[in-house]
Amino acid sequence: AQSVTQLDSQVPVFEEAPVELRCNYSSSVSVYLFWYVQYPNQGLQLLLKYLSGSTLVKGINGFEAEFNKSQTSFHLRKPSVHISDTAEYFCAVSEGLTGGGNKLTFGTGTQLKVEL
Amino acid sequence: GAGVSQSPSNKVTEKGKDVELRCDPISGHTALYWYRQSLGQGLEFLIYFQGNSAPDKSGLPSDRFSAERTGGSVSTLTIQRTQQEDSAVYLCASSSRIEDTQYFGPGTRLTVL
C-alpha cells in the first residue's frame, strides 16, 4: 500500500517570497508523483508530475518540484509567489502500470495563503 | 476543447434516497476515475474504468455504491440508501491512457440531510 504525507496543513507567506510545500510518500514499488492545485469551488488542476528521468520537474505557474528517492520526498517550490497562488495544494502518488492502473493516493492537502 | 463535465453540480437529498451522479469524460479518453473529497477523509479513490476491462472497484466504501460506464464514455455513480456520511464532493477524472495525466471535472457536491 502507498501513502502520502503533507506535513503542513497551512502555509502563510508574503507575496513575492519563496515557498516550499512538503510532501513525503511511502510505497513498496516505483511510483509516479504529482502535485495538483485546487482553487476555491473548482476541480483539481495538474501542476506537475514526475514519471521518470530528471528528478527536477518544472510545472505551470512557475512551480517546480524535486524527486528525492532516498528521502522519499517530492517537495514543491516556487521562488516568488503571487496572490493568485492562494489555493489548496495536493501531493499524490500512483503505482502506475505496476499497480494495475493509475489510481491516485492523495495527501491531506496544504492550504497556501499568500498575503500582501 | 471541452474538459471533463459532471452533473449535477450540486445535489441535496434526504437520507435513504438513491442518487445518481454523472460524468462525461474528455472525448477519446479510455480511462475514467471516480474520487471522493470529504472533510473527514480527504481525497480518496473510489473506482476506475479502463476500456473494456473489468473496473477496479477496490475503493468503493460499501455495497451501496456502484458505478457503470456505458459505451466506453459516460459514467454514472449510483449511491443507494444515502447516509449522512456520504456527503462529499464527488470528482471524476479521465485520461487518454493509464499512465497519462488525469484531468478532473469540477465535481458534484452531494449533501445528505
Side-chain angles (χ1 to χ4, degrees):
Chain A
Q2 55 200 4
S3 65
V4 178
T5 301
Q6 291 182 248
L7 294 170
D8 305 304
S9 59
Q10 294 186 28
V11 173
V13 62
F14 288 109
E15 193 174 35
E16 297 183 5
V19 70
E20 178 180 85
L21 305 183
R22 296 180 293 170
C23 173
N24 288 86
Y25 70 92
S26 67
S27 176
S28 57
V29 299
S30 296
V31 296
Y32 298 161
L33 294 156
F34 307 82
W35 275 98
Y36 281 85
V37 61
Q38 187 174 36
Y39 298 101
N41 300 314
Q42 294 188 27
L44 295 166
Q45 180 182 4
L46 182 71
L47 276 178
L48 47 80
K49 62 183 178 183
Y50 172 79
L51 302 183
S52 64
S54 173
T55 57
L56 182 62
V57 180
K58 293 188 182 298
I60 62 171
N61 301 340
F63 284 94
E64 63 180 33
E66 186 154 19
F67 170 56
N68 187 318
K69 188 174 182 179
S70 63
Q71 297 186 3
T72 60
S73 67
F74 191 55
H75 301 332
L76 180 70
R77 303 185 184 98
K78 186 169 182 177
S80 176
V81 296
H82 189 266
I83 284 285
S84 59
D85 293 324
T86 295
E88 188 146 23
Y89 292 78
F90 293 92
C91 181
V93 63
S94 80
E95 294 181 350
L97 297 176
T98 61
N102 208 15
K103 53 191 177 186
L104 298 170
T105 298
F106 288 89
T108 51
T110 297
Q111 179 66 44
L112 176 63
K113 185 175 181 181
V114 181
E115 303 167 353
L116 292 172
Chain B
V4 177
S5 61
Q6 294 185 244
S7 60
S9 55
N10 281 283
K11 176 72 176 177
V12 179
T13 190
E14 294 180 347
K15 178 181 174 181
K17 301 285 189 182
D18 298 351
V19 295
E20 287 189 351
L21 312 179
R22 177 187 169 105
C23 171
D24 282 90
I26 294 172
S27 178
H29 278 192
T30 59
L32 187 148
Y33 304 78
W34 283 98
Y35 295 87
R36 178 169 71 174
Q37 185 173 24
S38 59
L39 284 176
Q41 301 297 323
L43 270 160
E44 53 183 346
F45 164 79
L46 295 178
I47 187 170
Y48 151 73
F49 297 88
Q50 171 60 37
N52 296 319
S53 302
D56 177 349
K57 306 179 183 179
S58 60
L60 294 179
S62 77
D63 57 8
R64 297 186 295 105
F65 288 72
S66 62
E68 62 177 19
R69 189 177 185 192
T70 54
S73 181
V74 171
S75 176
T76 302
L77 177 69
T78 301
I79 308 173
Q80 296 178 308
R81 305 181 302 280
T82 52
Q83 303 295 312
Q84 289 183 333
E85 61 263 30
D86 300 334
S87 295
V89 176
Y90 289 82
L91 295 167
C92 175
S94 70
S95 67
S96 58
R97 294 178 301 173
I98 293 176
E99 65 271 26
D100 280 353
T101 298
Q102 292 180 36
Y103 295 90
F104 282 80
T108 293
R109 182 175 297 277
L110 174 66
T111 303
V112 182
L113 301 176

